Amino acid sequence: MKAKEFDLIVFGATGFTGRLVAEYLHLSGADGARWAIAGRSLDKLAKVRDELHLPPSVALLKADANDAAALKALVARTRVVITTVGPYQLHGEPLATACAEGGTDYVDLCGEPLWMARMIDKLTPLAQRSGARIVFSCGFDSIPFDLGVVYLQAEAQARFGAPLPEVRGRVARLKGTFSGGTLASMMETIEAVRREPGLIKLMTNPFALAGGFKGPRQPNDQGADFDDWADAWAGPFVMATINTKNIHRSNALRGHPWGRGFVYSEKLLTGKPGQGDKGRRKAKALARFTQLQNLALGFGPTRALLRRFVLTQPGDGPGKAAREAGRYEVWFAGRAAGGQTLRAIVKGDRDPGYGSTCKLISEAALCLVRDVSHDATPGGVWTPGSAMGLALVRRVQARAGLSFEIAA
């Protein structure tokens, strides 16, 4: 690669999450990387630099999300771009396209499968020609889940000599909030489906991002049931729609190392192991709420009320104490063809939507800079698990407050 002025640029650094990314890079030392912050207002960028006490070496770069010429000039100066400017279906295409055309690696926080499906088709040939690695979903959705399966399957290969044909992901603990950007992205996705009802097929297809591959029937995770592997009741998990698609895409992009018949299920545990009736009631209530929510969100006035009164807005977020008090824990379990069982636990040490996410996307960008060669991962549109795999597992475990361990 030609020498670049910067190793990475944070685009959207004046927003709530982008500011957290800049703060994390500053306090962590950015693994020695040369970095800059970018946005549409130099005055606001200067305010961020002053308030975070960033060193003068962190340059301020002006570019608007809809200015193609400015974005082309911006991405030419760096090896990787981190963007937190969403919803991506409204603001993301010009920057992603500039990176794909210019050979600049790109990471984002996107959990918008409709936009991702369209961008995969558009950007893949561009990125393959230029050498750009375009990596979506580098926050809470979907790094802990995507890498959790990567880690568990690597352990299964080492122990049993074969992958696990089925894996269940179960959110066992979740303390914290989803970001306003995530909620805004959900609302925009709902609007897109309302305008074009045929898109519901893509939203409900777990293989929608798997490059045309059609795998076996997958579990219906929208109801309440007792999970015998976890010994607890489980209900629907709101992020499963995107996480499941990314996990099946990871398998497809690497040539199906987990098998073409791989099955994945993802749910939220509603009770502790052995806690029967209370967990059952919570699981059924969650399933009912999910069904009602799906119906209500299709009704225009309801969406307007949610926007006005309920949803955290993009640019808003919890304070430092709340971010640091957040936690999450996800269990992954599988059974090998020979009957052996294996379980992994992934834990995050911060609020998932903000405190953990800002670290995850930063380290994903640094992983592309420091750890993953273009020979190992050439230009294309990737998931975190397929692009960086165990290299990212090691990095986020060492630096970003995630832990991966095999349960006894």
Side-chain angles (χ1 to χ4, degrees):
M1 293 181 64
K2 295 181 180 179
K4 298 289 184 78
E5 185 179 355
F6 304 107
D7 293 311
L8 63 90
I9 291 173
V10 181
F11 185 72
T14 58
F16 190 87
T17 303
R19 180 188 172 105
L20 291 178
V21 171
E23 182 178 39
Y24 172 74
L25 289 169
H26 172 51
L27 296 177
S28 69
D31 200 10
R34 298 159 299 145
W35 61 287
I37 57 176
R40 60 186 178 183
S41 168
L42 287 176
D43 289 341
K44 290 182 179 180
L45 289 169
K47 183 178 179 182
V48 169
R49 184 169 65 180
D50 292 344
E51 291 178 350
L52 296 181
H53 306 291
L54 304 182
S57 60
V58 177
L60 311 181
L61 309 176
K62 183 178 180 179
D64 187 275
N66 295 310
D67 186 339
L71 294 175
K72 181 178 179 180
L74 181 79
V75 305
R77 302 175 69 177
T78 186
R79 295 175 62 185
V80 185
V81 169
I82 295 173
T83 175
T84 61
V85 181
Y88 294 94
Q89 57 201 293
L90 296 182
H91 309 297
E93 185 170 350
L95 179 59
T97 301
C99 287
E101 290 178 339
T104 297
D105 294 344
Y106 163 104
V107 296
D108 70 18
L109 300 173
C110 188
E112 305 165 39
L114 299 181
W115 183 78
M116 290 165 65
R118 186 161 59 85
M119 288 300 99
I120 288 167
D121 290 342
K122 176 184 178 180
L123 301 182
T124 295
L126 301 176
Q128 288 176 342
R129 285 197 296 269
S130 72
R133 282 93 61 90
I134 309 297
V135 190
F136 300 135
S137 306
C138 291
F140 178 66
D141 51 321
S142 297
I143 280 181
F145 302 89
D146 197 15
L147 294 189
V149 176
V150 167
Y151 173 77
L152 184 69
Q153 291 286 25
E155 287 289 330
Q157 288 278 10
R159 294 169 184 241
F160 310 137
L164 304 167
E166 177 183 358
V167 170
R168 298 181 188 178
R170 296 293 183 261
V171 180
R173 184 183 186 190
L174 189 64
K175 180 182 180 183
T177 57
F178 295 107
S179 74
T182 294
L183 295 170
S185 296
M186 290 179 180
M187 298 300 290
E188 292 301 329
T189 297
I190 290 164
E191 291 288 351
V193 172
R194 182 186 63 81
R195 292 190 300 268
E196 191 175 344
L199 293 174
I200 194 66
K201 293 182 179 179
L202 188 149
M203 289 296 295
T204 57
N205 176 11
F207 299 100
L209 304 182
F213 172 73
K214 297 181 180 180
R217 181 181 294 275
Q218 300 292 302
N220 180 359
D221 288 337
Q222 294 301 301
D225 57 31
F226 184 79
D227 189 318
D228 56 341
W229 292 9
D231 191 29
W233 279 86
F237 179 55
V238 66
M239 303 311 301
T241 297
I242 183 59
N243 293 335
T244 298
K245 291 176 176 60
N246 277 328
I247 287 163
H248 284 298
R249 179 166 172 79
S250 288
N251 190 33
L253 285 174
R254 286 304 186 186
H256 297 98
W258 312 329
R260 297 179 70 85
F262 176 64
V263 173
Y264 178 71
S265 164
E266 186 173 295
K267 303 190 80 167
L268 174 69
L269 297 182
T270 57
K272 296 179 181 179
Q275 186 183 53
D277 195 53
K278 183 177 180 180
R280 177 184 60 81
R281 291 196 303 270
K282 290 174 67 176
K284 290 189 173 182
L286 181 58
R288 286 195 298 271
F289 174 79
T290 301
Q291 292 168 356
L292 291 172
Q293 176 182 258
N294 291 339
L295 290 172
L297 290 178
F299 183 54
T302 302
R303 294 193 300 273
L305 286 171
L306 285 171
R307 281 197 182 94
R308 184 173 179 184
F309 296 114
V310 178
L311 297 183
T312 303
Q313 298 300 308
D316 297 337
K320 181 178 179 181
R323 296 195 304 270
E324 293 184 350
R327 297 288 186 274
Y328 57 91
E329 182 174 322
V330 188
W331 299 350
F332 297 90
R335 184 171 289 122
Q340 308 98 318
T341 59
L342 193 65
R343 192 179 81 173
I345 300 175
V346 177
K347 297 180 182 179
D349 71 343
R350 291 290 187 275
D351 162 77
Y354 297 95
S356 184
T357 282
C358 73
K359 297 193 291 184
L360 296 177
I361 192 171
S362 300
E363 295 300 338
L366 291 168
C367 191
L368 290 174
V369 171
R370 299 287 189 227
D371 305 333
V372 181
S373 71
H374 279 73
D375 290 333
T377 301
V381 182
W382 298 90
T383 59
S386 60
M388 294 169 272
L390 293 176
L392 187 54
V393 170
R394 291 188 290 269
R395 175 171 280 275
V396 296
Q397 185 153 254
R399 294 174 55 88
L402 251 63
S403 65
F404 297 76
E405 60 183 39
I406 295 298

